[in-house]
Amino acid sequence: MSFIAIMMLLLLRNFRVQATSTNIGFVTSPLLHHHRRHSISTASLSTSSHMSWEMITNHQSSKTVKLFKSIHKNKSKRNETGFTIAEGVRLVTDILSDEQSRRLVKRIIVSESILNGQSINEYQQQLEHWLNVVEMESRQSKEAFASGSNTEDAIDPVTINIGTDQVLAACSGTVSTQGVLALMEIPKSLDESIVAKTANESSKPPFYVILDGLQDPGNVGTILRSCAASHVSALVLLPDSCDVWNPKAVRSAMGASFRVPVIELNGRVGALAKA
C-alpha cells in the first residue's frame, strides 16, 4: 500500500474517531495539553542545577559527540547500542513531561543559548523545567541506590550535558541545530501475540498498519503520528521497511514513536497472515 493510501485510510479512521454530533476537531498531542496545564514562568525556574551539568566543548574528541553522530548515521550502531536520538525543544519537552517516555532517556545535551535565556518561548521554559525535574529525579535515584533503598520502579539517573553551538551542530541530524538532543533507549519490539491479546480484550476490533517497503523516514514519522491519533493497535514492520528508530523518523513522529506499539517481523508471509 502506498504512503498516500495509508494516510488516506488513517485520516478517514481519525475522522470517524473525532466526529461528534456537533463538531469535528483536530487531534493534538495529549502531552501538549499537559504542558498547558502546567504553565511555568521564567522566574520559577531553578538555575542552581545547571552548575552540576558537565560542559562539552570539544566536538572533535568527545566520546559523547561521536556516539551521537554514529547513532544518527548507522542503523547497525542503533541496533548494537539499543539507542536512538530525539531532537528539538518541543519533542524533547514532550518526552520528558511523560513519565513513561522519560524513563527511556539516558543522556541529554542542551545548548548554552537555551539555558542563557536567548529567544525564550513557552516550550523553552517548559524544557528547562523538565530538565530540572530530571536532575532532581536522578539525584534522588543515586541517593536511594547509595543507601540501598533503590526500588525496581526507580528511574535510572540521566546525564545532562551543556554543549557549545559546535557540539550541538556535530550531534545534530539537521542542518540547523534545534538546541537540545536526547539519547533514548529504544523500546523493545512487541511480540505480536501480546498485541493481539491486548487488542482482543478491547471493546473495539484491532486495527493494524503494515509498512512494506516504505523507505522515507519523514513519511514513516507522519504515519506514526496518524497511528497514534487513530488509536492503531500496532504498527507492523516488514523487513524491507525504513527503520522507525532512525532519528529522522523519530523527529517526524513527534513523540508518537513511543506511544504506538511496534512489531518487527522477519518474514513477509507471517505478517500478511496476521493482518
Side-chain angles (χ1 to χ4, degrees), residues 29-201:
S29 167
L31 300 181
L32 180 56
H33 294 300
H34 179 79
H35 295 162
R36 289 170 178 168
R37 291 196 303 269
H38 294 78
S39 181
I40 300 169
S41 66
T42 306
S44 69
L45 298 177
S46 169
T47 58
S48 59
S49 59
H50 299 175
M51 303 299 294
S52 65
W53 299 347
E54 182 181 348
M55 184 82 177
I56 301 177
T57 57
N58 193 322
H59 67 285
Q60 295 179 324
S61 62
S62 169
K63 292 182 179 179
T64 298
V65 174
K66 291 178 180 178
L67 175 62
F68 272 72
K69 291 174 70 173
S70 63
I71 290 175
H72 265 297
K73 294 179 179 179
N74 302 317
K75 179 180 179 180
S76 59
K77 191 67 175 179
R78 294 192 291 272
N79 291 339
E80 174 191 339
T81 61
F83 293 145
T84 186
I85 295 171
E87 181 174 2
V89 172
R90 179 170 178 173
L91 174 56
V92 174
T93 300
D94 280 348
I95 287 169
L96 295 181
S97 68
D98 179 76
E99 183 176 349
Q100 183 175 352
S101 58
R102 188 164 70 246
R103 288 175 176 273
L104 300 173
V105 177
K106 301 305 175 186
R107 182 183 289 268
I108 300 169
I109 304 179
V110 59
S111 70
E112 290 178 289
S113 58
I114 287 180
L115 296 179
N116 290 338
Q118 299 177 19
S119 303
I120 281 289
N121 58 39
E122 180 183 355
Y123 264 99
Q124 287 178 347
Q125 293 179 31
Q126 295 285 352
L127 172 64
E128 187 164 357
H129 165 71
W130 287 109
L131 289 174
N132 288 328
V133 169
V134 169
E135 171 70 15
M136 179 188 66
E137 290 179 341
S138 297
R139 191 185 310 119
Q140 292 174 344
S141 180
K142 290 176 182 177
E143 292 172 354
F145 181 80
S147 65
S149 59
N150 199 34
T151 59
E152 291 184 359
D153 61 346
I155 295 179
D156 292 337
V158 178
T159 301
I160 302 177
N161 296 119
I162 303 173
T164 63
D165 290 341
Q166 283 185 318
V167 166
L168 268 292
C171 293
S172 175
T174 60
V175 176
S176 300
T177 175
Q178 299 186 44
V180 62
L181 303 99
L183 183 70
M184 301 192 63
E185 180 182 342
I186 295 175
K188 293 182 180 179
S189 176
L190 297 181
D191 183 272
E192 57 267 29
S193 62
I194 296 176
V195 177
K197 181 177 182 295
T198 303
N200 289 335
E201 292 173 350

